[in-house]
Amino acid sequence: MNANALAEAPPQAPITDAEIVIAARSLGTASVGGARLVAALMDPRLQGQELARRIGSEPGVAARVLRVANSAFFGCSGTVSTLDRAVQVLGLQGIKGAAAAACMDRMIGNQAASAGFDADAFRRHSLATACLAARLSKALDAGLDEEAFMAGLLHDLGLVVLWRLRPQGML
């Protein structure tokens, strides 16, 4: 949008709290299980088999995690066919990150992409911020590596909500 178009655009009413809540609820994790999984991923006490069980409760997320575990990047010989094995291959932070990224993909969905939102750039930015936040926590010996990763991954999620409410203001 150029400066002239901004000057000529009629003023819009402020976004209300109710609009924000409705837009946030419309994000793609929509299922109660998806919201619970995102909350569980932020729990540093969640480990191994319980983590795998929680991820397994969301089939789309589980499939994404297995796909990541089987990717050439991790160089695992053989096939990772269970979430328990994926935990071993990816490690706790890796599996939480893969699951959180899958949840975020569901939140963004195809609607945002069709409206001009650059979902790929958003994902790359969020993942880069997550990795840097975890490295910073580790470098500072803060003991909050997983929490920092999740905070970095989710830090701009409000932009998706804003995009749904006022896409013309985001161009």
Side-chain angles (χ1 to χ4, degrees), residues 21 27 37 41 44 50 57 75 84 88 96 102 133 144 146-147 152:
V21 169
L27 294 177
L37 179 57
L41 293 173
E50 179 61 16
S57 71
D84 288 330
Q88 294 171 349
K96 285 182 176 186
L144 298 170
E146 292 180 25
E147 293 89 341

Side-chain angles (χ1 to χ4, degrees), residues 5-79:
L6 284 175
E8 297 169 11
Q12 292 185 344
I15 298 171
T16 67
D17 290 350
E19 287 177 299
I20 293 170
V21 169
I22 290 167
R25 284 185 176 158
S26 74
L27 294 177
T29 63
S31 74
V32 173
R36 284 190 184 136
L37 179 57
V38 170
L41 293 173
M42 291 186 223
D43 184 350
R45 298 168 298 173
L46 190 62
Q47 303 283 318
Q49 288 182 327
E50 179 61 16
L51 176 60
R53 188 186 69 73
R54 296 271 183 102
I55 292 171
S57 71
E58 290 291 315
V61 175
R64 168 80 175 267
V65 167
L66 289 173
R67 199 171 328 124
V68 169
N70 280 295
S71 70
F73 180 78
F74 291 99
C76 184
S77 61
T79 300

Side-chain angles (χ1 to χ4, degrees), residues 82-155:
T82 68
L83 291 170
D84 288 330
R85 178 72 177 124
V87 171
Q88 294 171 349
V89 171
L90 300 175
L92 288 176
Q93 185 172 345
I95 197 165
K96 285 182 176 186
C103 289
M104 194 162 63
D105 282 351
R106 292 170 70 189
M107 288 180 203
I108 296 169
N110 295 331
Q111 299 161 357
S114 66
F117 185 81
D118 190 345
D120 287 334
F122 179 81
R123 287 182 195 105
R124 285 191 307 272
H125 168 75
S126 296
L127 187 56
T129 303
C131 291
L132 289 171
R135 287 178 64 189
L136 181 60
S137 173
K138 185 179 231 90
L140 296 174
D141 200 24
L144 298 170
D145 302 2
E146 292 180 25
E147 293 89 341
F149 182 90
M150 294 302 292
L153 191 67
L154 301 174
H155 82 285

